[in-house]
Amino acid sequence: MAGNNVVLDVDNLTTRFDTQDGMVHAVNNVSFQLRQGEFLGVVGESGSGKSVSMLSLLRLIPMPPGIIPSGQAMFDNEDLLLMEIDALRQVRGGRIGFIFQDPMTSLNPVLTVGLQIKETLRLHQGMDDKQAEARALELIELVGIPAAKTRLKNHPHELSGGMRQRVMIAIALACNPEILIADEPTTALDVTIQAQIIEIIHDLREKLDSAVIWITHDLAVIAGLADRVLVMYGGEIVEEALVSELYAKPRHPYTQGLLGSLPRLDERVKLVNIGGQPPSLYQPPDRCSFAPRCPYAHDKCNIDNPALTPISETHSVACWWDTESDRPRYGS
């Protein structure tokens, strides 16, 4: 269960990519807090800025063409965006673990699984080879890989997709991180393996009391996992709420569309289709990016971009229309 201590405080994070076709506004003024032991879901369709925002926090985006012109990411009284690169490398993989989306491209194909886990332990924990070997074996068993001793000698291509993802989890958890960021870790896996990976993360989070940021395009995946959810669209957070609140009473039209597109077992309802196309990120964020697809759009939406505004102690929304009362908000 989440505590009151804020372990990560992100304020107005902005990320751009300077390309031949123009400036891509990938992340726009993203702000959120993460508390100790909290499970935070970050959801949205492809291109919404979920992964780029979290990669930007650890400066893992390619620079150039990537630029982080503004923002702050406070972790243990230090700004990750201003930290010396050597100090940041100690944080990455040590105090903040990252599970990447595709383990086949994230793992080194020429090194054994055991060597890759031991490298993390030697670098961040200062272990000798014998200590690292014992800890690597413990980690492989912890993430549910059978015949652990044999698997440590395998190369990534000798393992199934599910096993490779478990190895990535083992590496991310090797140093008992305070924060674990998982970037769509179940996307390429079949449903059975997805459920196993989700269960592993859930159990380990309880044991280690680590805060988790789970990035996904699938609201159904985090329904039973997250404490709180950030919904992203067009590089911005458009809604933030406790998971129970978000599923029971979504207030942003985009969130309503996402939830309406999920099939339900308890009732027969027509699935919602969000019409139109995702926004062009070459467009500066000077208006509501969802307006062209929104059933509630009115004049103000096309000339002014709504800020993420609290509507209760635990719920915030960025929209000029109050979908509950079906009228404009803030005197617009």
Side-chain angles (χ1 to χ4, degrees), residues 91 113 115 190 298:
V91 171
V113 163
L115 278 173
D190 66 53
H298 55 293

Side-chain angles (χ1 to χ4, degrees), residues 118-176:
K118 289 193 289 184
E119 182 181 33
T120 300
L121 294 165
R122 283 195 289 257
L123 178 65
H124 294 289
Q125 302 281 297
M127 292 184 180
D128 60 30
D129 193 65
K130 188 175 180 181
Q131 291 170 321
E133 180 80 27
R135 176 63 175 153
L137 185 61
E138 184 184 321
L139 285 162
I140 286 291
E141 290 172 342
L142 190 67
V143 296
I145 296 180
K149 278 190 177 180
T150 302
R151 295 305 181 191
L152 286 175
K153 298 172 186 175
N154 288 152
H155 290 80
H157 71 271
E158 297 176 281
L159 304 178
S160 68
M163 283 192 181
R164 286 195 293 268
Q165 195 58 278
R166 289 168 198 248
V167 170
M168 287 297 299
I169 294 170
I171 292 171
L173 293 172
C175 304
N176 296 330

Side-chain angles (χ1 to χ4, degrees), residues 253-294:
Y254 176 62
T255 314
Q256 292 173 346
L258 285 180
L259 287 169
S261 67
L262 296 177
R264 297 177 65 101
L265 296 176
D266 58 340
E267 55 184 287
R268 299 181 71 175
V269 292
K270 188 176 180 181
L271 298 183
V272 173
N273 173 44
I274 303 175
Q277 297 295 319
S280 168
L281 296 179
Y282 293 110
Q283 175 74 36
D286 54 5
R287 66 195 71 180
C288 176
S289 58
F290 189 62
R293 307 173 75 182
C294 181

Side-chain angles (χ1 to χ4, degrees), residues 7-302:
V7 291
L8 180 65
D9 190 351
V10 178
D11 186 41
N12 288 323
L13 174 68
T14 298
T15 304
R16 307 272 185 264
F17 290 96
D18 192 1
T19 72
Q20 289 182 333
D21 297 323
M23 189 67 74
V24 176
H25 300 266
V27 178
N28 304 306
N29 299 315
V30 163
S31 300
F32 67 92
Q33 291 184 332
L34 180 70
R35 291 173 177 80
Q36 182 181 355
E38 182 179 28
F39 198 118
L40 179 68
V42 183
V43 301
E45 62 195 53
S46 297
S48 62
K50 310 181 301 293
S51 298
V52 173
S53 57
M54 300 308 154
L55 289 167
S56 298
L57 295 179
L58 296 175
R59 281 148 54 197
L60 289 170
I61 60 168
M63 294 191 283
I67 309 160
I68 305 174
S70 64
Q72 193 176 62
M74 299 304 296
F75 173 71
D76 195 18
N77 297 318
E78 287 194 79
D79 188 352
L80 295 171
L81 303 180
L82 297 178
M83 194 178 282
E84 292 288 334
I85 195 66
D86 288 341
L88 184 61
R89 285 194 182 111
Q90 289 299 316
V91 171
R92 294 176 189 156
R95 301 181 65 190
I96 301 178
F98 207 113
I99 304 171
F100 293 94
Q101 189 172 27
D102 183 3
M104 199 59 202
T105 56
S106 302
L107 293 168
N108 190 322
V110 300
L111 298 179
T112 65
V113 163
L115 278 173
Q116 294 183 65
I117 299 174
K118 289 193 289 184
E119 182 181 33
T120 300
L121 294 165
R122 283 195 289 257
L123 178 65
H124 294 289
Q125 302 281 297
M127 292 184 180
D128 60 30
D129 193 65
K130 188 175 180 181
Q131 291 170 321
E133 180 80 27
R135 176 63 175 153
L137 185 61
E138 184 184 321
L139 285 162
I140 286 291
E141 290 172 342
L142 190 67
V143 296
I145 296 180
K149 278 190 177 180
T150 302
R151 295 305 181 191
L152 286 175
K153 298 172 186 175
N154 288 152
H155 290 80
H157 71 271
E158 297 176 281
L159 304 178
S160 68
M163 283 192 181
R164 286 195 293 268
Q165 195 58 278
R166 289 168 198 248
V167 170
M168 287 297 299
I169 294 170
I171 292 171
L173 293 172
C175 304
N176 296 330
E178 293 152 65
I179 300 172
L180 180 64
I181 302 173
D183 185 6
E184 304 212 39
T186 62
T187 297
L189 306 175
D190 66 53
V191 176
T192 307
I193 304 300
Q194 277 188 29
Q196 291 172 4
I197 296 296
I198 289 167
E199 188 177 357
I200 287 168
I201 297 286
H202 182 267
D203 291 347
L204 292 174
R205 172 230 178 178
E206 295 289 327
K207 287 178 186 175
L208 302 175
D209 198 30
S210 296
V212 176
I213 298 175
W214 187 289
I215 304 165
T216 183
H217 64 275
D218 188 350
L219 271 165
V221 167
I222 57 164
L225 289 173
D227 300 309
R228 193 160 50 93
V229 182
L230 306 179
V231 180
M232 293 193 68
Y233 184 83
E236 300 170 314
I237 297 173
V238 296
E239 188 160 9
E240 175 183 353
L242 297 176
V243 68
S244 55
E245 248 181 308
L246 190 87
Y247 283 75
K249 196 177 284 188
R251 299 291 291 274
H252 194 281
Y254 176 62
T255 314
Q256 292 173 346
L258 285 180
L259 287 169
S261 67
L262 296 177
R264 297 177 65 101
L265 296 176
D266 58 340
E267 55 184 287
R268 299 181 71 175
V269 292
K270 188 176 180 181
L271 298 183
V272 173
N273 173 44
I274 303 175
Q277 297 295 319
S280 168
L281 296 179
Y282 293 110
Q283 175 74 36
D286 54 5
R287 66 195 71 180
C288 176
S289 58
F290 189 62
R293 307 173 75 182
C294 181
Y296 303 99
H298 55 293
D299 291 346
K300 189 169 179 65
C301 306
N302 293 310

